[in-house]
């Protein structure tokens, strides 16, 4: 039997900075006599959230599993910005949903019932998001908008999109927990990190409802480039901390020639 002090000592020896908090979470999450097994995985460098099977996000316990991106505390801001921007939406989409944490947090935070859709490229993420949403939203698999049912075209009020945004050349600088234990497809955003975000913006006008907005997380360096791209795509764009919000005009669009 491993007591809490011994757990803290072994976690600290393995380089875990928040050893006390991690020990508490391991003790709380262990069932039966699997504590040693969980500790061994954590000490070997697996992210705590993948070891225990859940992550704290916006006050919620979100299920995660190996092969699925662990939702980050900084991304809670994206949900807050989206809720403030559009408090009474009808249709909400969580694109690049991973565990589905953003859509779930939006669903819990919004004051009314919504039609929620989530989508991701990988089967692991789609399964995990279905687990988390428990039937309160539809989860689709595919490449960005290609995953979505056509009836959502022009109807999305809120589009949450935490696209992968690490520049390819910086992948090697990530902490080992991300580099070795999260899929590259969840991290790699191409040469300047914005390949996926640009693609999301390029089609946003077709999918957003009039007045609808897409909210994308970016680094401080990337945000101005993303704003310029959003404007070039005919959207109104603004930055709030790490979140770029790009809004479709409320005016009807002129018919395509
Ligand atoms: C940074 S993670 C964000 C996950 C989740 N939204 C969150 O914040 O916790 C990016 C996600 O985008 C997904 N992804 C990468 N390329 C994609 C694509 N072309 N189409 C759809 N999803 C994609 C990855 O599988 C991964 O789950």
């Amino acid at each position: 039997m491993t007591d809490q002090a011994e757990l803290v000592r072994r976690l600290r020896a393995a380089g875990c900075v928040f050893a006390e908090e991690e020990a508490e979470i391991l003790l709380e999450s262990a069932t039966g006599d699997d504590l040693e097994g969980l500790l061994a995985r954590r000490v070997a460098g697996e992210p705590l959230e993948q070891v225990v099977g859940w992550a704290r996000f916006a006050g919620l316990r979100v299920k995660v599993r190996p092969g699925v991106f662990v939702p980050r505390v900084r991304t809670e801001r994206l949900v807050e910005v989206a809720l403030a921007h559009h408090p009474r939406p009808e249709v909400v989409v969580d694109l690049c949903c991973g565990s589905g944490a953003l859509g779930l947090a939006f669903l819990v935070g919004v004051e009314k019932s919504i039609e929620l859709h989530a989508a991701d490229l990988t089967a692991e993420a789609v399964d995990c998001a279905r687990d988390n949403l428990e039937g309160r939203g539809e989860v689709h698999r595919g490449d960005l908008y290609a995953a979505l049912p056509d009836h959502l075209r022009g109807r999305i009020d809120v589009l949450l999109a935490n696209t992968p945004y690490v520049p390819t050349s910086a992948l090697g600088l990530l902490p080992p927990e991300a580099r070795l234990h999260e899929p590259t497809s969840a991290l790699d955003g191409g040469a300047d990190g914005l390949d996926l975000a640009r693609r999301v913006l390029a089609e946003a006008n077709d999918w957003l409802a009039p007045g609808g907005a897409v909210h994308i997380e970016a680094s401080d360096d990337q945000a101005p480039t993303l704003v310029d791209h959003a404007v070039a795509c005919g959207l109104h764009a603004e930055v709030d901390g790490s979140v770029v919000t790009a809004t479709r005009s409320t005016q009807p669009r002129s018919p395509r020639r």
Side-chain angles (χ1 to χ4, degrees), residues 69 71 75 94 96-98 102 120-122 142-144 162-164 185-186 196 199:
F69 183 86
T75 310
D94 180 2
C96 295
C97 68
L102 277 61
D120 200 281
L121 192 59
T122 75
D143 179 21
L144 298 184
N162 187 18
T163 51
S185 59
L196 274 288
R199 287 179 55 208

Side-chain angles (χ1 to χ4, degrees), residues 134-145:
E134 294 176 315
R136 288 171 289 176
E138 283 181 47
V139 187
H140 315 277
R141 183 174 175 201
D143 179 21
L144 298 184
Y145 297 100

Side-chain angles (χ1 to χ4, degrees), residues 3 7 23 33 61 70 109 225 230 244 253:
D3 70 12
L7 266 183
D33 44 358
R61 211 187 240 236
V70 175
T225 309
V244 173
R253 298 165 66 196

